[in-house]
Amino acid sequence: MKLAIVTAFPPSKVTLNEYGYHLVKQFRLKDRVDEIILITDKTVEDKHLDFEESGCKITVKDCWEFNSYKNIMSIYKTISQSKPDAILFNLQFLKFGDKKVPAALGLMLPKLFKMKGIPTIVLIHNILEQVDLKNAGFTKNKILQKVYGFIGTTLTKFVLSADLVAVTIHKYVNTLENKYKTGNVVLVPHGTFETPPQPDFNLPEGPKKIMAFGKFGTYKKVEVMIEAVEKIRKRTNEKLEIVIAGTDSPNTPGYLKSVEEKYAHVSGLTFTGYVEEKDVPIIFGESAVVVFPYTTTTGSSGVLHQAGSYGKAVAMPNLGDLTDLVRDEGYVGEFFEANDADSLANAIQNIVTNDAFRLELAKMNYEAASSFPMEKIADMYLDHFNDIKNNKERENTKLLTGDI
């Protein structure tokens, strides 16, 4: 199979670039894949194709740009020239831009390739029906929220015109099937990027590191985490450090810089900036607790799957998709009320002051992560592509024989 994958890819900073990296990493090892055509966004540096294992050929076609109105044409032309046997889109609603028109145009591509007859699967990481538009940073205006809802419904119909749409949370399957009366939505779990051999669950010497990882500023706000740790410091003898690992969300440039200035007086507070792929195991490995300082959720959490793969205890808000992941995939954590520093302080303190409890959470999360490695997820997509191909062949046979 010659497989085209449309995704952002490191060193890109566009959302889902890391997920794209791990998709490619696994697909290239599959005997059923002869070549990967990487349809990715333009970057100054070369793509990070630093894979150690031998695998299939990867042809990079960096042909689109975030917020470009030309993406629909450039991607269509590039894929048409590449002549793949199948296409996988790694998407969310703001994949191609945070401006309405470029974002919308990019989401029309699956329909175009379905019409062209190329087996097409869209992996959509979020659906607007399950997004709190106010808390997620889209808009606070109620009228605009209704406009976004209408636009979202229209664009979802374009996405659903693909041969198959994969979602990572079971609730999304029911929502899309019930609202859009469609039968081409399937659950494919998010998967765990890396599942190392069982980690050493013991912590390094020194202060315990409380870490948050991601892109911050919209619905991920780190002030509550900093203030929670300060509260713990005042009432216990625990030596704690705070690590903010990641960058600003594209929608909130300058956010982390403003937080760094506001809390310059706080000791043991580190802002790492962008974390290279090779440094991710170190950041997680040194952490005692991974915190999710979210006010809402917008899809399955890649950070939770990473925390599980490195055997980490987590503190997370009891809301939305995080709660669903706990139920559906077996992750565990100490819950707190979103945006409540006192509640979060209690959650973190319960973990860092009780090592047996921390170990229990860490081991259960590692077990959950080990259940869905990305290797298994790649096989699920290849099986779905095979089913699509067989269905198309049966339909063509019926047309030729007149048996319709």
Side-chain angles (χ1 to χ4, degrees), residues 247-295:
T247 60
D248 294 325
S249 164
N251 294 328
T252 54
Y255 166 72
L256 287 177
K257 183 65 176 177
S258 68
V259 173
E260 188 173 3
E261 292 173 353
K262 179 180 178 180
Y263 293 97
H265 63 283
V266 176
S267 62
L269 173 58
T270 301
F271 293 82
T272 69
Y274 178 71
V275 181
E276 297 285 348
E277 187 67 32
K278 62 183 176 59
D279 296 324
V280 170
I282 299 172
I283 288 287
F284 277 91
E286 293 179 347
S287 300
V289 183
V290 179
V291 176
F292 296 77
Y294 301 175
T295 58

Side-chain angles (χ1 to χ4, degrees), residues 156-227:
T156 300
K157 290 179 180 178
F158 278 110
V159 170
L160 288 170
S161 63
D163 289 298
L164 202 66
V165 174
V167 293
T168 57
I169 295 178
H170 188 270
K171 179 174 65 176
Y172 290 4
V173 178
N174 296 332
T175 299
L176 293 175
E177 286 181 342
N178 292 336
K179 179 174 180 178
Y180 297 94
K181 309 304 179 185
T182 184
N184 67 331
V185 182
V186 295
L187 172 67
V188 178
H190 180 285
T192 303
F193 293 161
E194 303 283 358
T195 309
Q198 182 165 304
D200 179 357
F201 296 102
N202 295 314
L203 300 176
E205 294 292 330
K208 295 175 181 176
K209 294 185 178 182
I210 313 302
M211 191 268 284
F213 187 93
K215 293 181 173 65
F216 302 99
T218 50
Y219 62 94
K220 301 178 183 180
K221 295 187 178 291
V222 298
E223 293 94 333
V224 66
M225 173 176 154
I226 297 170
E227 291 169 9

Side-chain angles (χ1 to χ4, degrees), residues 211-368:
M211 191 268 284
F213 187 93
K215 293 181 173 65
F216 302 99
T218 50
Y219 62 94
K220 301 178 183 180
K221 295 187 178 291
V222 298
E223 293 94 333
V224 66
M225 173 176 154
I226 297 170
E227 291 169 9
V229 172
E230 284 284 81
K231 290 177 182 292
I232 300 171
R233 285 171 170 170
K234 291 178 180 178
R235 64 197 191 198
T236 73
N237 294 321
E238 290 290 340
K239 294 180 180 179
L240 304 175
E241 290 185 1
I242 308 165
V243 180
I244 311 299
T247 60
D248 294 325
S249 164
N251 294 328
T252 54
Y255 166 72
L256 287 177
K257 183 65 176 177
S258 68
V259 173
E260 188 173 3
E261 292 173 353
K262 179 180 178 180
Y263 293 97
H265 63 283
V266 176
S267 62
L269 173 58
T270 301
F271 293 82
T272 69
Y274 178 71
V275 181
E276 297 285 348
E277 187 67 32
K278 62 183 176 59
D279 296 324
V280 170
I282 299 172
I283 288 287
F284 277 91
E286 293 179 347
S287 300
V289 183
V290 179
V291 176
F292 296 77
Y294 301 175
T295 58
T296 187
T297 56
T298 60
S300 184
S301 172
V303 179
L304 179 56
H305 290 84
Q306 285 178 295
S309 71
Y310 295 111
K312 292 298 160 181
V314 303
M316 52 189 170
N318 189 11
L319 50 77
D321 301 326
L322 289 174
T323 305
D324 294 328
L325 281 173
V326 168
R327 182 185 65 244
D328 294 345
E329 297 186 21
Y331 288 93
V332 294
E334 187 73 348
F335 286 101
F336 64 93
E337 295 301 317
N339 210 30
D340 185 329
D342 288 315
S343 179
L344 177 53
N346 292 336
I348 296 172
Q349 185 173 329
N350 288 343
I351 297 172
V352 297
T353 59
N354 185 341
D355 207 52
F357 182 51
R358 180 189 66 80
L359 286 169
E360 179 185 355
L361 295 179
K363 290 177 180 179
M364 291 180 70
N365 283 337
Y366 178 77
E367 183 178 343

